[in-house]
Amino acid sequence: MKNIYFLFVLLAITGSAEAKNMHKVFGTHDKVIKNAPKVEVFMIDPIPVLSVEQIQGENYVYDYRVIQSNSLKKKAASAITAAALDTNQYLYGVSKKCPFMGKYAVHFRQGKQSVTIILSDLCAKAIIFCPGSIIDKKHIDLIENSSIVLSVIAGLSSPATHQKK
């Protein structure tokens, strides 16, 4: 009986320690962002396009038409990765009343998992897409002049392996 009690206490401590280490925004999916071998950054149209109205041959990121893209290796994207993981860039429990107008997107992929963040610079908001997870389609507000947006803008003008203008 004593061993069973000890096992339950050990499991509770392990579970609470893991919960404390969980990222406030991305949960356990922060590993996808940390370990992505390359990061894609995009300048996008402000309003998503219904799939039936999308133009064949054009690139889209979650229904936002891509205007410009850049693919960066992990080292070149380190500022973007750090900014995305910086919990101080996000506002919790706040709901800004301004409309979401997309401007930029950043895409992290590790294996079959991916995290894409669509950013609005006018209203400092983000939508997180992480298919198959509880954070998929999560809306969150950003601080004004967020380093996430600033680092994505810098990433668009960095030397790249692929660029579309």
Side-chain angles (χ1 to χ4, degrees), residues 11 31 47 125 152 165:
L11 286 173
K31 291 172 185 63
I47 300 172
K125 290 184 175 195
V152 168
K165 288 188 180 178

Side-chain angles (χ1 to χ4, degrees), residues 4-37:
I4 294 173
Y5 176 74
F6 177 73
L7 182 63
F8 281 122
V9 170
L10 185 62
L11 286 173
I13 291 170
T14 305
S16 65
E18 194 170 303
K20 287 179 186 174
N21 293 333
M22 198 176 289
H23 194 275
K24 284 172 111 176
V25 177
F26 301 104
T28 58
H29 297 284
D30 64 336
K31 291 172 185 63
V32 174
I33 296 170
K34 287 178 189 172
N35 300 324

Side-chain angles (χ1 to χ4, degrees), residues 89 91 96 121-124 142-147:
Q89 298 302 305
L91 297 174
K96 295 180 181 177
D121 68 337
L122 292 175
C123 194
L142 303 172
I143 63 169
E144 294 300 320
N145 301 312
S146 169
S147 65

Side-chain angles (χ1 to χ4, degrees), residues 16-76:
S16 65
E18 194 170 303
K20 287 179 186 174
N21 293 333
M22 198 176 289
H23 194 275
K24 284 172 111 176
V25 177
F26 301 104
T28 58
H29 297 284
D30 64 336
K31 291 172 185 63
V32 174
I33 296 170
K34 287 178 189 172
N35 300 324
K38 71 176 185 172
V39 176
E40 294 176 290
V41 291
F42 306 94
M43 181 181 292
I44 57 175
D45 273 342
I47 300 172
V49 178
L50 294 172
S51 59
V52 295
E53 296 177 7
Q54 292 178 7
I55 300 167
Q56 191 171 0
E58 292 283 335
N59 290 330
Y60 294 85
V61 174
Y62 288 98
D63 295 333
Y64 290 88
R65 189 176 71 84
V66 173
I67 298 168
Q68 179 184 352
S69 67
N70 199 355
S71 182
L72 304 168
K73 294 192 186 224
K74 186 174 185 158
K75 187 175 180 182

Side-chain angles (χ1 to χ4, degrees), residues 95-156:
S95 237
K96 295 180 181 177
K97 301 295 181 204
C98 48
F100 186 92
M101 302 293 281
K103 179 71 176 188
Y104 304 104
V106 60
H107 178 76
F108 303 89
R109 174 177 295 284
Q110 181 196 17
K112 292 182 179 181
Q113 291 186 312
S114 68
V115 175
T116 302
I117 308 169
I118 306 291
L119 301 160
S120 172
D121 68 337
L122 292 175
C123 194
K125 290 184 175 195
I127 303 173
I128 299 165
F129 291 92
C130 187
S133 77
I134 60 169
I135 63 167
D136 190 38
K137 298 180 182 109
K138 178 179 183 173
H139 291 249
I140 191 162
D141 293 334
L142 303 172
I143 63 169
E144 294 300 320
N145 301 312
S146 169
S147 65
I148 301 169
V149 173
L150 299 174
S151 63
V152 168
I153 293 168
L156 281 167

